Amino acid sequence: MPQYDWFALYRIASEEFGRRVANVEAWSGPTPDAEWSVADLVNHVIGEQRAVPELLARGTSRRSLRLASAESLEPSSPYEGPQHAWSVFAAAASAAAAVTPASAEILLGTDVLSLNDYLAELASDIAIHTWDLARATQQDEDLPGELVEAVWSHFEPQIDSLAASGLYAAPLAVDSEAPLLVRLLAITGRDGR
């Protein structure tokens, strides 16, 4: 499997999601995940970012990580809606990841992941939810090719376990000649056609 700079890809995924969040006007509309509204989807991704600094701090003894995280998590003014919350927590998560040593081990549920593997999980999840948000709010559904390729490389070997995890719907059948983004979405139960 090719080696990817998952920190860079995580930042790209975060920027792509943030660009869509900034343009949301209707928060109660449906999303490709029938159980979530647009607000639910955005709050889910914000919640994941909010947890990143603490998860990373547990994986390292570096005091600088905890200090950077604590400072980033406390906004100087009250949250002014989901767009503001996204910018605060995405920035805090990115800052924490930037100072976490590559050797850190991240405890995620019952799994212990390397920093690189954790960032791959984050980038992949954000990328899929960026498409969800774009589809739900009639925004640009395209994602950067390098991000799609990397997430495909990360998810494709896990096709059988993705749906079993309960995090994604059962894979959809699509033509093997379909664009890579369509095939990626299909393995997470989404119809990108």
Side-chain angles (χ1 to χ4, degrees), residues 176-190:
S176 62
E177 299 301 315
L180 188 57
L181 177 58
V182 171
R183 289 184 281 142
L184 170 61
L185 293 166
I187 65 174
T188 66
R190 290 156 171 82

Side-chain angles (χ1 to χ4, degrees), residues 53 57 62-74 92 95-96 99:
R62 287 181 57 170
R63 182 169 153 68
S64 60
L65 171 61
R66 285 191 281 281
L67 291 174
S69 300
E71 290 169 4
S72 299
L73 283 173
E74 294 304 323
V99 298

Side-chain angles (χ1 to χ4, degrees), residues 4-192:
Y4 293 101
D5 180 347
W6 282 108
F7 177 70
L9 291 164
Y10 164 64
R11 293 191 59 162
I12 290 168
S14 294
E15 289 166 9
E16 291 291 320
F17 189 79
R19 188 163 57 86
R20 275 43 169 228
V21 169
N23 293 314
V24 173
E25 295 177 2
W27 294 96
S28 61
T31 68
D33 184 327
E35 297 177 9
W36 284 349
S37 67
V38 171
D40 295 332
L41 170 66
V42 171
N43 285 332
H44 164 73
V45 181
I46 289 171
E48 287 183 336
Q49 297 312 291
R50 189 175 192 155
V52 168
E54 179 62 29
L55 285 170
L56 294 179
R58 288 184 203 152
T60 180
S61 60
R62 287 181 57 170
R63 182 169 153 68
S64 60
L65 171 61
R66 285 191 281 281
L67 291 174
S69 300
E71 290 169 4
S72 299
L73 283 173
E74 294 304 323
S76 55
S77 61
Y79 298 119
E80 299 165 2
Q83 287 102 341
H84 183 236
W86 168 256
S87 65
V88 168
F89 292 115
S94 181
V99 298
T100 300
S103 61
E105 292 183 333
I106 315 306
L107 180 61
L108 191 60
T110 59
D111 296 329
V112 177
L113 302 176
S114 69
L115 176 63
N116 199 54
D117 288 344
Y118 178 55
L119 292 174
E121 291 290 328
L122 287 173
S124 298
D125 192 61
I126 294 170
I128 298 301
H129 289 319
T130 296
W131 181 86
D132 289 340
L133 183 58
R135 173 66 57 104
T137 57
Q138 292 81 49
Q139 297 188 56
D140 176 17
E141 295 178 11
D142 287 334
L143 297 173
E146 64 187 321
L147 180 61
V148 172
E149 179 186 314
V151 175
W152 170 262
S153 176
H154 180 66
F155 273 175
E156 195 271 336
Q158 303 178 56
I159 289 175
D160 294 333
S161 62
L162 287 176
S165 73
L167 299 175
Y168 296 100
L172 304 177
V174 294
D175 190 296
S176 62
E177 299 301 315
L180 188 57
L181 177 58
V182 171
R183 289 184 281 142
L184 170 61
L185 293 166
I187 65 174
T188 66
R190 290 156 171 82
D191 190 347

